[in-house]
Amino acid sequence: MKVNCIKFLFAVLVFTCLPLSAQDTAVLELNNNRELFVDYYLIDKLDNLELTLQKPIDEGPVIYFDKPWEGEFSLYTTIIQDGDTYKMYYRGLPDVLKDYADRELTCYAESSDGIHWEKPNLNLYKVNSTFENNVVFIDSQRTNHNFCPMLDTNPNVKESERYKAIGGTYNHGLFAFASPDGIHWKRMQQEAVFKNGKFDSQNVAFWSESEECYVLYFRTWSGGEFDGFRSVSRTTSKDFINWTEPVAMTFGDTPMEHLYTHQTHPYYRAPRIYIAIGARFMPGRQVLTEQQAKDFNVNPKYYKDCSDAVLMSSRGGNVYDRTFMQSFIRPGIGLENWVSRTNYPALNVVQTSPEEMSVYVNHNYAQPTTHLRRYSMRIDGFAALSADFEKGEMVTKPFTFKGNKLVINYSTSAAGEIKVEIQDQNGVAVPGYTLDQSQTIIGNEIERTVSWEKGSNVQELSGKPIRLCFVLKDADLYSCQFKE
């Protein structure tokens, strides 16, 4: 009799889909935040499901860096979407045969859709004996080195400082700039605002909605003075002028890799999640022969390494999550894509259609054909919770939410499906929201409201600790969110 009771208790635990250790799991506060499956933040249990990295689609070139003031070393691109206008900033390095300390400048392009780009004549700076160019910024002391703008989303920002930027070098430090329109820039103060770093890459700042401060991610080296691995540190500020002591970013238990750029930014549909599409640099990993480099007219200093793009994420603090160590964007077909410092992603992911978002990647670096390409992704589609033809299940950690409906971004095959169960904190199905009562979801939608036999309204559970149990068959789940 005692043996039968033990078997019964074990069966109850199995069928509630709840591991014993999860009884003590802290309750998360989701409120009405969208959750992406780029990490294991929400996940308590996976059974026959996995997190899969999605593959952006190469949509081809959008801009060539072919003006006399741009050149084959144009790099460190930033894309900003401000309302209906897309703005692009990138380095111009017109004469690489001379010391570029006095020749580096920042160029500008503009688009109404993020796909078709134009280089306007800004008439701001005289370059190559003409003001008819798209040069948006030149400054002394190399303060424009790796000049990286941002759109300031601080709710208290001044109209005259809606745009801000960071630029500078190891020798001079980082300087802060402001602009009302992203075109006309001035220093926020004459002295550098931050000096404790190496800065020999694109240094990125933004206003963090979740941390309620400005955050600056910048280049450091794991071994100190330009030694070890190229890595990242961060510092914070309340006013963009005074910055805290920096802390080095950590990467969990994953091996160190050279991160030439990191491109950390808040994801526009889930700003408390920072997406980092970084350039992984492989020094000395040579693909081209010397003759092949000559055939492609690659600068002789830039063909003995290769690079690709990787996906990381962070939820604040000095921690990067590297759930996915594999390449996010591989180098394309053709030896011209296997040279040093090519395949570097631009900063920021932007939406380019109702169903699509885009990331931009430089190609053919150190070659006369250097250009920027657009890669498209499904909205929220960095990664997915995926099931093959055999059904799989995911149970979340316990959390509270605000709202009256649950929406998901998903796709299934014609034979696939998704069902959702709401459980209490202990993993017991809530009456009225069981798997048997769940609507069977089939299709491919950016937003679908989940329903049960009693309907879709879940207001009665708002504020109470619950879990979700997703059952997938031949399907992908990209995000979920409770909404009003």
Side-chain angles (χ1 to χ4, degrees):
M1 184 70 176
K2 184 180 292 186
V3 172
N4 287 337
C5 288
I6 292 173
K7 287 182 177 179
F8 174 77
L9 289 172
F10 179 76
V12 170
L13 287 171
V14 170
F15 281 103
T16 57
C17 307
L18 182 66
L20 289 169
S21 61
Q23 296 282 354
D24 300 322
T25 301
V27 177
L28 305 174
E29 285 189 32
L30 261 57
N31 296 317
N32 59 356
N33 295 308
R34 178 175 285 106
E35 286 299 327
L36 308 181
F37 295 102
V38 293
D39 57 19
Y40 287 87
Y41 174 80
L42 189 60
I43 298 172
D44 188 32
K45 176 188 174 185
L46 285 179
D47 182 10
N48 203 36
L49 294 180
E50 62 178 343
L51 295 187
T52 58
L53 186 64
Q54 303 300 290
K55 296 299 181 183
I57 299 170
D58 185 355
E59 302 287 358
V62 293
I63 195 168
Y64 282 86
F65 304 127
D66 53 4
K67 297 296 183 182
W69 47 86
E70 295 173 344
E72 62 200 64
F73 287 86
S74 291
L75 193 63
Y76 299 140
T77 305
T78 298
I79 307 291
I80 295 175
Q81 183 176 0
D82 186 1
D84 295 330
T85 303
Y86 298 77
K87 301 184 177 186
M88 179 190 299
Y89 303 83
Y90 54 95
R91 179 178 74 183
L93 205 57
D95 192 349
V96 298
L97 298 179
K98 298 181 180 179
D99 178 14
Y100 70 81
D102 297 321
R103 294 189 168 273
E104 192 168 2
L105 45 82
T106 301
C107 301
Y108 174 83
E110 199 168 274
S111 172
S112 61
D113 58 10
I115 299 171
H116 306 93
W117 293 85
E118 296 181 350
K119 301 175 184 178
N121 285 328
L122 299 176
N123 300 303
L124 294 176
Y125 298 95
K126 190 174 184 179
V127 180
N128 287 17
S129 303
T130 179
F131 279 92
E132 294 186 1
N133 58 61
N134 63 322
V135 176
V136 72
F137 186 72
I138 300 176
D139 198 11
S140 60
Q141 294 184 303
R142 294 187 67 186
T143 59
N144 60 306
H145 179 65
N146 303 342
F147 185 80
C148 186
M150 56 170 270
L151 180 62
D152 191 347
T153 57
N154 183 342
N156 299 315
V157 67
K158 300 176 182 177
E159 279 297 315
S160 61
E161 299 179 354
R162 286 187 65 244
Y163 286 83
K164 290 185 173 67
I166 286 288
T169 65
Y170 170 63
N171 292 329
H172 297 92
L174 293 181
F175 291 77
F177 304 88
S179 169
D181 56 8
I183 303 295
H184 303 89
W185 294 90
K186 65 178 182 180
R187 290 195 202 183
M188 296 181 69
Q189 67 175 35
Q190 288 304 307
E191 300 79 22
V193 297
F194 189 70
K195 294 184 177 181
N196 197 356
K198 297 300 179 282
F199 312 136
D200 55 320
S201 180
Q202 189 170 359
N203 308 288
V204 171
F206 57 82
W207 171 259
S208 170
E209 175 184 308
S210 57
E211 299 186 72
E212 297 184 327
C213 62
Y214 295 101
V215 184
L216 168 64
Y217 292 84
F218 60 96
R219 159 68 64 76
T220 48
W221 287 69
S222 64
E225 194 72 17
F226 300 101
D227 189 30
F229 288 88
R230 294 166 175 85
S231 194
V232 187
S233 293
R234 78 168 224 156
T235 175
T236 63
S237 173
K238 291 293 186 179
D239 59 7
F240 212 74
I241 298 295
N242 301 286
W243 297 86
T244 60
E245 284 297 310
V247 292
M249 294 299 292
T250 60
F251 305 89
D253 59 359
T254 61
M256 289 288 291
E257 294 185 304
H258 285 276
L259 296 174
Y260 212 102
T261 65
H262 55 84
Q263 307 302 35
T264 308
H265 62 283
Y267 176 50
Y268 71 100
R269 281 169 52 90
R272 70 180 188 145
I273 301 175
Y274 307 159
I275 294 298
I277 304 178
R280 174 169 54 187
F281 181 58
M282 307 296 293
R285 195 169 178 86
Q286 183 174 338
V287 176
L288 277 69
T289 65
E290 182 177 352
Q291 183 56 52
Q292 288 170 331
K294 289 181 179 178
D295 292 342
F296 284 104
N297 202 10
V298 181
N299 185 287
K301 294 182 179 180
Y302 290 90
Y303 71 90
K304 296 184 179 181
D305 320 289
C306 60
S307 312
D308 59 11
V310 294
L311 179 73
M312 307 183 295
S313 63
S314 178
R315 291 175 181 264
N318 69 319
V319 179
Y320 277 128
D321 182 279
R322 295 212 62 186
T323 292
F324 308 103
M325 292 297 292
Q326 66 269 41
S327 177
F328 184 50
I329 301 176
R330 293 180 179 178
I333 295 174
L335 291 175
E336 65 272 19
N337 294 301
W338 292 86
V339 303
S340 299
R341 296 165 175 80
T342 198
N343 306 305
Y344 281 16
L347 173 63
N348 293 325
V349 170
V350 295
Q351 187 166 333
T352 45
S353 85
E355 298 84 26
E356 173 192 88
M357 58 187 188
S358 296
V359 63
Y360 303 80
V361 180
N362 86 296
H363 278 227
N364 299 23
Y365 187 70
Q367 302 165 62
T369 54
T370 184
H371 63 278
L372 195 73
R373 301 176 80 87
R374 184 176 71 92
Y375 285 74
S376 65
M377 297 173 280
R378 176 198 190 93
I379 287 178
D380 300 343
F382 301 104
L385 185 66
S386 301
D388 58 22
F389 195 75
E390 298 297 323
K391 285 185 178 180
E393 183 179 274
M394 185 273 279
V395 179
T396 69
K397 298 171 185 175
F399 63 85
T400 59
F401 72 90
K402 295 179 181 178
N404 57 29
K405 63 181 178 180
L406 171 64
V407 299
I408 62 173
N409 182 343
Y410 77 101
S411 67
T412 76
S413 70
E417 64 183 47
I418 297 177
K419 301 186 78 173
V420 185
E421 177 176 272
I422 300 180
Q423 303 175 350
D424 67 17
Q425 184 175 358
N426 297 316
V428 177
V430 177
Y433 303 97
T434 67
L435 281 178
D436 288 341
Q437 295 167 315
S438 172
Q439 172 194 35
T440 299
I441 297 174
I442 303 169
N444 187 347
E445 299 171 89
I446 300 299
E447 184 168 306
R448 170 73 170 265
T449 300
V450 178
S451 295
W452 294 264
E453 290 178 1
K454 64 186 296 182
S456 61
N457 194 321
V458 294
Q459 182 66 48
E460 63 181 317
L461 302 176
S462 181
K464 299 178 181 179
I466 64 163
R467 297 174 186 262
L468 293 177
C469 176
F470 291 95
V471 176
L472 280 65
K473 175 183 177 181
D474 200 7
D476 293 300
L477 181 64
Y478 304 97
S479 67
C480 61
Q481 181 184 19
F482 286 91
K483 301 178 72 173
E484 297 290 347

